[in-house]
Amino acid sequence: MTQMVVPIDILVTLNQHYLKPVSVMLVSLFEHNPQQRFRIWLIHEAIPKPDLQQLQALIAHYQQEFTAIKVDGEQWRQAPTEGRYPIEMYFRLLCGELLPQSLSRVLYLDPDILVLNSVLPLWQLDLETSTFAAATHTGMTNLVTDLNKLRLGTDHAYFNSGVMLIDLARARQLVHFADIQQVLETKSDYLLLPDQDLLNYLYGREIKEIPEEIWNYDARKYAVYFTRSLGKNDLHWIIGQTVFLHFCGQPKPWDERHDNRFTALYGNYQRLTERLLARLA
């Protein structure tokens, strides 16, 4: 008898400008988790239907499920946004309300990520009493964390919101738009990375820390990880152990100006995705 594989629910929240990067991310996810079933949930405000159909065709090619949820973003109009921080980034904070009540947990992923290994260990992580699991990006010292503690008035680590395992049952009890709105109204001047700052300011104590080298590897900081691990975390280690390679900051790996030791790796998945989309058109 064939054992039934329980699906992993993946959440992305974005606009049409990030459809190409999220396609690359999903191709890398499917390619490195070939026996796993996924349900992809996209929360958006105004992605054109033809673009959604193209993404759906790509996901269907891998025999995976896809659901798009359109949200009225009017309530976020006063929220701090910039060109690279669109309004859709806030949708992940309220995903407990926006996703079906039948879902008990979801794994949120930024579109500027490559998936290199199995995501199952994170999906199966025991969150214990925590609502979220996420990683910090500490560098060689805790200077950035200490500065963020001072800026936000917090007493815990500063977590990156690009990869988050979310207990949706707990999130539905904890996360409320009224609390988010109050922070936006009173502390907007202090929000440098708006949704990430909100996550840390309001819910930082509800986050279980996971190793960044495995679950949220900052692609800009190879030298830091290599040095901090005394030479253990070299490229061979990354290919074998790192699950989420996160292209934080600017420029992005799909930009011509991007040039580091992981640019070619990203380009390989980008070309693969482009060939697939051309065949499916």
Side-chain angles (χ1 to χ4, degrees):
M1 180 181 295
T2 303
Q3 185 177 7
M4 181 175 292
V5 179
V6 177
I8 293 176
D9 291 296
I10 301 291
L11 172 65
V12 292
T13 65
L14 44 88
N15 59 32
Q16 66 265 35
H17 300 299
Y18 284 90
L19 283 173
K20 287 184 178 179
V22 82
S23 298
V24 175
M25 184 272 283
L26 290 173
V27 166
S28 70
L29 173 70
F30 300 147
E31 289 287 338
H32 288 286
N33 294 264
Q35 305 304 316
Q36 183 61 55
R37 285 179 57 211
F38 291 99
R39 294 187 297 199
I40 310 301
W41 302 88
L42 166 60
I43 302 178
H44 71 103
E45 183 185 20
I47 298 178
K49 189 173 181 179
D51 293 336
L52 288 175
Q53 290 172 336
Q54 185 180 48
L55 180 61
Q56 185 169 19
L58 178 67
I59 294 170
H61 171 76
Y62 286 95
Q63 299 182 311
Q64 306 292 356
E65 297 180 46
F66 173 65
T67 303
I69 300 174
K70 188 174 182 179
V71 174
D72 181 359
E74 190 59 34
Q75 64 183 353
W76 300 99
R77 289 290 170 240
Q78 301 305 314
T81 58
E82 299 176 18
R84 64 191 179 108
Y85 300 126
I87 201 169
E88 285 80 4
M89 68 184 173
Y90 293 104
F91 296 165
R92 76 186 93 167
L93 296 175
L94 284 171
C95 65
E97 295 182 13
L98 301 173
L99 291 169
Q101 294 290 311
S102 59
L103 270 61
S104 60
R105 63 170 46 190
V106 73
L107 178 57
Y108 170 82
L109 298 176
D110 269 354
D112 56 348
I113 282 173
L114 283 182
V115 184
L116 304 181
N117 286 290
S118 172
V119 303
L120 189 60
L122 179 57
W123 180 251
Q124 295 177 333
L125 177 70
D126 184 357
L127 284 170
E128 301 174 290
T129 60
S130 298
T131 305
F132 307 90
T136 62
H137 285 159
T138 56
M140 289 299 293
T141 68
N142 286 323
L143 177 61
V144 173
T145 291
D146 291 341
L147 288 174
N148 282 315
K149 285 181 181 179
L150 180 64
R151 178 170 62 87
L152 297 175
T154 57
D155 60 357
H156 50 73
Y158 185 82
F159 296 93
N160 183 277
S161 61
V163 176
M164 293 189 295
L165 179 65
I166 305 171
D167 182 320
L168 291 172
R170 288 181 174 275
R172 291 177 185 117
Q173 298 295 318
L174 175 71
V175 182
H176 303 290
F177 177 68
D179 298 330
I180 296 170
Q181 188 176 37
Q182 183 180 23
V183 176
L184 291 174
E185 290 173 352
T186 60
K187 296 187 178 294
S188 286
D189 291 343
Y190 300 96
L191 304 180
L192 301 180
L193 301 173
D195 72 311
Q196 188 165 282
D197 283 352
L198 283 169
L199 173 75
N200 281 275
Y201 181 78
L202 287 170
Y203 313 117
R205 289 180 176 274
E206 297 290 330
I207 302 174
K208 182 174 185 174
E209 186 170 351
I210 52 179
E212 62 175 300
E213 295 89 344
I214 296 174
W215 299 114
N216 199 334
Y217 188 107
D218 187 336
R220 300 170 297 182
K221 298 180 178 178
Y222 174 83
V224 171
Y225 293 120
F226 184 82
T227 303
R228 200 165 63 189
S229 68
L230 302 179
K232 175 185 174 184
N233 295 357
D234 59 9
L235 288 172
H236 298 283
W237 185 93
I238 294 165
I239 294 301
Q241 302 298 323
T242 294
V243 178
F244 299 123
L245 182 62
H246 192 180
F247 291 87
C248 305
Q250 298 290 331
K252 293 300 183 187
W254 53 87
D255 295 331
E256 290 185 1
R257 294 180 296 121
H258 191 275
D259 185 14
N260 74 15
R261 68 185 67 238
F262 298 110
T263 305
L265 180 63
Y266 188 89
N268 178 64
Y269 287 98
Q270 189 175 17
R271 299 291 93 75
L272 171 60
T273 304
E274 289 170 352
R275 290 194 298 269
L276 279 172
L277 288 172
R279 268 178 24 210
L280 296 169

